[in-house]
Coordinates of all heavy atoms in Angstrom, one line a residue:
H4 N 87.1 -25.2 -22.9 CA 88.4 -24.8 -22.7 C 88.4 -23.7 -21.5 O 87.6 -22.9 -21.5 CB 89.1 -24.0 -23.9 CG 89.3 -25.0 -25.0 ND1 88.4 -25.3 -26.0 CD2 90.3 -25.8 -25.3 CE1 88.8 -26.1 -26.8 NE2 90.0 -26.5 -26.4
E5 N 89.3 -23.9 -20.6 CA 89.5 -23.0 -19.5 C 90.3 -21.9 -20.0 O 91.3 -22.1 -20.6 CB 90.2 -23.8 -18.3 CG 90.4 -22.9 -17.1 CD 91.1 -23.7 -16.1 OE1 91.0 -24.8 -16.0 OE2 91.8 -23.0 -15.3
E6 N 90.0 -20.7 -19.7 CA 90.8 -19.5 -20.1 C 91.3 -18.7 -18.9 O 90.6 -18.5 -18.0 CB 90.0 -18.6 -21.0 CG 89.6 -19.3 -22.3 CD 88.9 -18.4 -23.4 OE1 89.2 -17.2 -23.3 OE2 88.2 -18.9 -24.1
R7 N 92.4 -18.3 -19.0 CA 93.0 -17.3 -18.0 C 93.5 -16.1 -18.8 O 94.5 -16.2 -19.5 CB 94.2 -18.0 -17.3 CG 93.8 -19.1 -16.5 CD 95.0 -19.5 -15.6 NE 94.5 -20.7 -14.8 CZ 95.3 -21.8 -14.7 NH1 96.5 -21.8 -15.2 NH2 94.8 -22.7 -13.9
G8 N 92.8 -15.0 -18.6 CA 93.1 -13.8 -19.4 C 92.9 -14.2 -20.8 O 91.8 -14.6 -21.2
T9 N 93.9 -14.1 -21.7 CA 93.8 -14.4 -23.1 C 94.5 -15.7 -23.4 O 94.5 -16.2 -24.6 CB 94.4 -13.3 -24.0 OG1 95.7 -13.2 -23.6 CG2 93.6 -12.0 -23.8
T10 N 95.0 -16.4 -22.4 CA 95.7 -17.7 -22.6 C 94.8 -18.8 -22.4 O 94.2 -19.0 -21.4 CB 96.9 -17.8 -21.5 OG1 97.7 -16.6 -21.7 CG2 97.7 -19.0 -21.8
M11 N 94.7 -19.7 -23.5 CA 93.8 -20.9 -23.4 C 94.7 -22.0 -22.8 O 95.7 -22.2 -23.3 CB 93.3 -21.2 -24.7 CG 92.2 -22.3 -24.7 SD 91.5 -22.7 -26.2 CE 90.9 -21.1 -26.7
T12 N 94.2 -22.6 -21.8 CA 95.0 -23.6 -21.1 C 94.6 -25.1 -21.5 O 95.1 -26.0 -21.0 CB 95.0 -23.5 -19.6 OG1 93.6 -23.6 -19.2 CG2 95.6 -22.2 -19.2
G13 N 93.5 -25.2 -22.3 CA 93.1 -26.5 -22.7 C 91.9 -27.0 -21.9 O 91.5 -26.4 -21.0
V14 N 91.5 -28.2 -22.3 CA 90.4 -28.9 -21.6 C 90.9 -29.2 -20.2 O 92.0 -29.7 -20.1 CB 89.9 -30.1 -22.4 CG1 88.9 -30.9 -21.6 CG2 89.4 -29.8 -23.7
D15 N 90.0 -29.1 -19.2 CA 90.4 -29.5 -17.9 C 90.7 -31.0 -17.9 O 90.0 -31.8 -18.4 CB 89.2 -29.2 -17.0 CG 89.5 -29.4 -15.5 OD1 90.5 -30.1 -15.1 OD2 88.6 -28.9 -14.7
P16 N 91.9 -31.3 -17.3 CA 92.4 -32.7 -17.5 C 91.4 -33.7 -16.8 O 91.3 -34.8 -17.3 CB 93.7 -32.7 -16.7 CG 94.2 -31.3 -16.9 CD 93.0 -30.4 -16.8
N17 N 90.6 -33.3 -15.8 CA 89.7 -34.3 -15.2 C 88.5 -34.6 -16.1 O 87.8 -35.5 -15.8 CB 89.3 -33.9 -13.8 CG 88.4 -32.6 -13.7 OD1 87.9 -32.2 -14.8 ND2 88.3 -32.1 -12.5
R18 N 88.4 -33.8 -17.2 CA 87.3 -34.1 -18.2 C 87.7 -34.9 -19.3 O 87.0 -35.4 -20.2 CB 86.8 -32.7 -18.7 CG 86.1 -31.9 -17.6 CD 85.6 -30.6 -18.1 NE 84.5 -30.8 -19.2 CZ 84.1 -29.9 -20.0 NH1 84.6 -28.7 -19.9 NH2 83.3 -30.2 -21.0
L19 N 89.0 -35.2 -19.4 CA 89.6 -36.1 -20.4 C 89.4 -37.6 -20.0 O 89.6 -37.9 -18.9 CB 91.0 -35.8 -20.6 CG 91.4 -34.4 -21.1 CD1 93.0 -34.3 -21.0 CD2 90.9 -34.1 -22.4
D20 N 89.1 -38.5 -21.0 CA 89.1 -39.9 -20.7 C 90.6 -40.3 -20.6 O 91.5 -39.5 -21.0 CB 88.3 -40.7 -21.6 CG 88.7 -40.7 -23.1 OD1 89.9 -40.6 -23.3 OD2 87.9 -40.9 -24.0
D21 N 90.8 -41.6 -20.2 CA 92.2 -42.0 -20.1 C 93.0 -42.0 -21.4 O 94.2 -41.6 -21.4 CB 92.3 -43.4 -19.5 CG 91.8 -43.5 -18.0 OD1 91.8 -42.5 -17.4 OD2 91.6 -44.7 -17.6
Q22 N 92.4 -42.3 -22.5 CA 93.1 -42.3 -23.8 C 93.5 -40.8 -24.2 O 94.6 -40.6 -24.6 CB 92.3 -42.9 -24.8 CG 93.0 -43.1 -26.1 CD 92.1 -43.8 -27.2 OE1 91.0 -44.3 -26.9 NE2 92.6 -43.9 -28.4
Q23 N 92.5 -39.9 -24.0 CA 92.8 -38.5 -24.3 C 93.9 -38.0 -23.4 O 94.7 -37.2 -23.9 CB 91.6 -37.7 -24.2 CG 90.4 -38.0 -25.2 CD 89.1 -37.4 -24.7 OE1 88.7 -37.3 -23.5 NE2 88.4 -36.9 -25.8
L24 N 93.8 -38.3 -22.1 CA 94.9 -37.8 -21.2 C 96.3 -38.3 -21.6 O 97.2 -37.5 -21.6 CB 94.5 -38.3 -19.8 CG 95.6 -37.9 -18.7 CD1 95.7 -36.4 -18.5 CD2 95.2 -38.5 -17.3
M25 N 96.4 -39.6 -22.0 CA 97.7 -40.1 -22.4 C 98.2 -39.4 -23.7 O 99.3 -39.0 -23.8 CB 97.6 -41.6 -22.7 CG 97.5 -42.4 -21.4 SD 98.8 -42.0 -20.1 CE 100.3 -42.6 -21.0
K26 N 97.3 -39.1 -24.6 CA 97.6 -38.4 -25.8 C 98.1 -37.0 -25.5 O 99.1 -36.6 -26.1 CB 96.4 -38.4 -26.8 CG 96.8 -37.7 -28.1 CD 95.6 -37.9 -29.1 CE 96.0 -37.0 -30.4 NZ 95.7 -37.7 -31.6
E27 N 97.5 -36.3 -24.6 CA 97.8 -35.0 -24.2 C 99.2 -35.0 -23.5 O 100.1 -34.2 -23.8 CB 96.8 -34.3 -23.3 CG 95.5 -34.0 -23.9 CD 95.6 -32.7 -24.7 OE1 96.3 -31.8 -24.3 OE2 94.9 -32.6 -25.7
L28 N 99.4 -36.0 -22.7 CA 100.7 -36.1 -22.0 C 101.9 -36.4 -23.0 O 102.9 -35.8 -23.0 CB 100.7 -37.3 -21.0 CG 100.0 -36.9 -19.7 CD1 99.7 -38.1 -18.9 CD2 100.9 -35.9 -18.9
E29 N 101.6 -37.3 -24.0 CA 102.6 -37.6 -25.0 C 103.0 -36.4 -25.8 O 104.1 -36.1 -26.1 CB 102.1 -38.7 -25.9 CG 102.1 -40.1 -25.2 CD 101.2 -41.2 -26.1 OE1 100.8 -40.9 -27.2 OE2 101.2 -42.3 -25.5
T30 N 101.9 -35.6 -26.1 CA 102.1 -34.4 -27.0 C 102.9 -33.4 -26.2 O 103.9 -32.8 -26.7 CB 100.8 -33.8 -27.4 OG1 100.1 -34.7 -28.2 CG2 101.0 -32.5 -28.2
I31 N 102.6 -33.1 -25.0 CA 103.3 -32.1 -24.1 C 104.8 -32.5 -23.9 O 105.6 -31.7 -23.9 CB 102.5 -31.7 -22.9 CG1 102.9 -30.3 -22.5 CG2 102.7 -32.8 -21.8 CD1 101.9 -29.6 -21.6
H32 N 105.0 -33.7 -23.7 CA 106.4 -34.2 -23.4 C 107.2 -34.1 -24.7 O 108.4 -33.7 -24.7 CB 106.4 -35.6 -22.8 CG 106.0 -35.6 -21.4 ND1 105.0 -36.4 -20.9 CD2 106.5 -35.0 -20.3 CE1 104.8 -36.2 -19.6 NE2 105.8 -35.3 -19.2
R33 N 106.5 -34.4 -25.8 CA 107.2 -34.3 -27.1 C 107.7 -32.8 -27.4 O 108.6 -32.7 -28.0 CB 106.4 -34.9 -28.2 CG 107.1 -35.0 -29.6 CD 106.2 -35.8 -30.6 NE 104.9 -35.2 -30.8 CZ 103.8 -35.8 -30.4 NH1 103.8 -36.9 -29.8 NH2 102.6 -35.2 -30.6
T34 N 106.8 -31.9 -27.1 CA 107.1 -30.5 -27.4 C 107.8 -29.8 -26.3 O 108.2 -28.6 -26.6 CB 105.7 -29.7 -27.6 OG1 104.9 -29.8 -26.4 CG2 104.9 -30.3 -28.7
R35 N 108.2 -30.4 -25.2 CA 108.8 -29.8 -24.1 C 110.2 -29.1 -24.5 O 110.5 -28.0 -24.2 CB 109.0 -30.8 -23.0 CG 109.7 -30.2 -21.8 CD 108.9 -29.2 -21.2 NE 109.6 -28.6 -20.1 CZ 109.1 -27.5 -19.4 NH1 108.1 -26.9 -19.8 NH2 109.8 -27.0 -18.5
H36 N 111.0 -29.9 -25.2 CA 112.4 -29.4 -25.5 C 112.3 -28.1 -26.4 O 113.0 -27.2 -26.1 CB 113.2 -30.5 -26.2 CG 114.6 -30.3 -26.3 ND1 115.5 -30.3 -25.3 CD2 115.4 -29.9 -27.4 CE1 116.7 -29.9 -25.7 NE2 116.6 -29.8 -27.0
D37 N 111.5 -28.2 -27.4 CA 111.5 -27.0 -28.3 C 110.9 -25.8 -27.5 O 111.3 -24.7 -27.7 CB 110.6 -27.3 -29.5 CG 111.3 -28.1 -30.5 OD1 112.5 -28.1 -30.4 OD2 110.6 -28.6 -31.4
T38 N 109.9 -26.0 -26.7 CA 109.4 -24.9 -25.9 C 110.4 -24.3 -24.9 O 110.6 -23.1 -24.8 CB 108.1 -25.4 -25.0 OG1 107.2 -25.9 -25.9 CG2 107.6 -24.2 -24.3
L39 N 111.2 -25.2 -24.4 CA 112.3 -24.7 -23.5 C 113.3 -23.9 -24.2 O 113.7 -22.8 -23.8 CB 112.9 -25.8 -22.8 CG 114.2 -25.5 -21.8 CD1 113.8 -24.6 -20.7 CD2 114.8 -26.8 -21.4
L40 N 113.8 -24.4 -25.3 CA 114.8 -23.8 -26.1 C 114.3 -22.5 -26.9 O 115.1 -21.6 -27.0 CB 115.4 -24.7 -27.1 CG 116.2 -25.9 -26.6 CD1 116.7 -26.8 -27.7 CD2 117.4 -25.5 -25.6
Y41 N 113.1 -22.6 -27.5 CA 112.7 -21.5 -28.4 C 111.4 -20.7 -28.0 O 111.1 -19.8 -28.7 CB 112.5 -22.2 -29.8 CG 113.7 -23.0 -30.2 CD1 113.6 -24.3 -30.4 CD2 114.9 -22.3 -30.4 CE1 114.7 -25.1 -30.8 CE2 116.0 -23.1 -30.8 CZ 115.9 -24.5 -31.0 OH 117.0 -25.2 -31.4
G42 N 110.8 -21.2 -27.0 CA 109.5 -20.5 -26.7 C 109.8 -19.2 -25.8 O 110.8 -19.2 -25.1

Side-chain angles (χ1 to χ4, degrees):
H4 292 90
E5 180 182 334
E6 294 187 27
R7 292 192 183 134
T9 59
T10 303
M11 188 177 303
T12 59
V14 176
D15 188 340
N17 68 13
R18 294 180 58 197
L19 300 170
D20 65 31
D21 289 345
Q22 185 176 357
Q23 291 168 323
L24 179 61
M25 288 306 296
K26 183 174 175 140
E27 289 284 323
L28 282 164
E29 289 167 2
T30 298
I31 203 157
H32 285 122
R33 188 174 54 251
T34 60
R35 180 64 182 171
H36 190 71
D37 283 344
T38 304
L39 175 63
L40 294 179
Y41 308 114

